[in-house]
Amino acid sequence: MNVRVGSRTGEPPFDWEDPSTWAGAVAGVKSAYLMYYPEVEWPGAGDAIAAVARLAVDAGVERLVLLSARNQDEAVRCEDAVTSLPVEWTIVAPASFNQNFDEGVFLEPLRQGVLALPAGDNADPFIDADDIADVAVAALTEDGHVGERYELTGPRLWTFAEGVGEIARATGRELRYVPITRDQFADAIVNDGAPREFAEPLATLISEFFDGRNSSLADGVERALNRKPRDFADWVAEIAPTGVWDAA
């Protein structure tokens, strides 16, 4: 199977911020996985997904798999843009990734000892990105997934206090979770050097995603793969020995 990576350094290149690269990237492709940067919930994502999806179908793409999100208005617009097209489609809508804790925005605060987020005491069923990848590959390459919308979650709910506590136990470090407001989070991002125009929508995205609307389990992994998703605690136990959460 030939695989084309859609990236700014790929050949041909693909850049979400450069529409002139879109058509060339999907030319000659039969199946495509759409993943919007920075997030499918980001303002304007729906318009961009709609444009790329239409280009893809017009270029002969027969199957589209969209990485969406749970219970987000902009994500729904992205989904509608794909499902309205004459194409074999599958929607993959995951919970928050485990990997946010060791690769993403939560990592540096954890190294410092305190993770502060506008998430209150709400819980989320964190999911391993490997489970998401397995579902996406199945949807792209196997029969039986066309027309399905898979909500992907881990097997149980975790508050951020519980999640950080699990990492603390696995690492032997003193780590804390501190709930803060959306505005406090935006100001902290700006103080770390991010532009205000990035910090504000990011703060809104995180505060909405973790406001309790996603505090429920779903069976997407089981339906797509006929197996259980990986538990957050098992993932933490594997990652902790790498030292990624050692003190900064």
Side-chain angles (χ1 to χ4, degrees), residues 53-67:
R54 170 53 68 183
L55 279 172
V57 172
D58 290 346
V61 172
E62 300 171 354
R63 181 173 296 189
L64 289 175
V65 178
L66 173 69
L67 180 67

Side-chain angles (χ1 to χ4, degrees), residues 212-235:
R213 70 184 69 187
N214 292 314
S215 296
S216 61
L217 302 179
D219 63 354
V221 173
E222 291 94 326
R223 288 198 296 119
L225 303 176
N226 196 32
R227 65 167 175 80
K228 295 289 186 182
R230 191 179 192 190
D231 188 74
F232 180 74
D234 295 334
W235 175 80

Side-chain angles (χ1 to χ4, degrees), residues 24-48:
V26 297
V29 172
K30 292 302 181 183
S31 299
Y33 180 52
L34 293 180
M35 177 179 174
Y36 186 74
Y37 175 84
E39 300 285 350
V40 74
E41 308 98 314
W42 206 258
D47 292 338

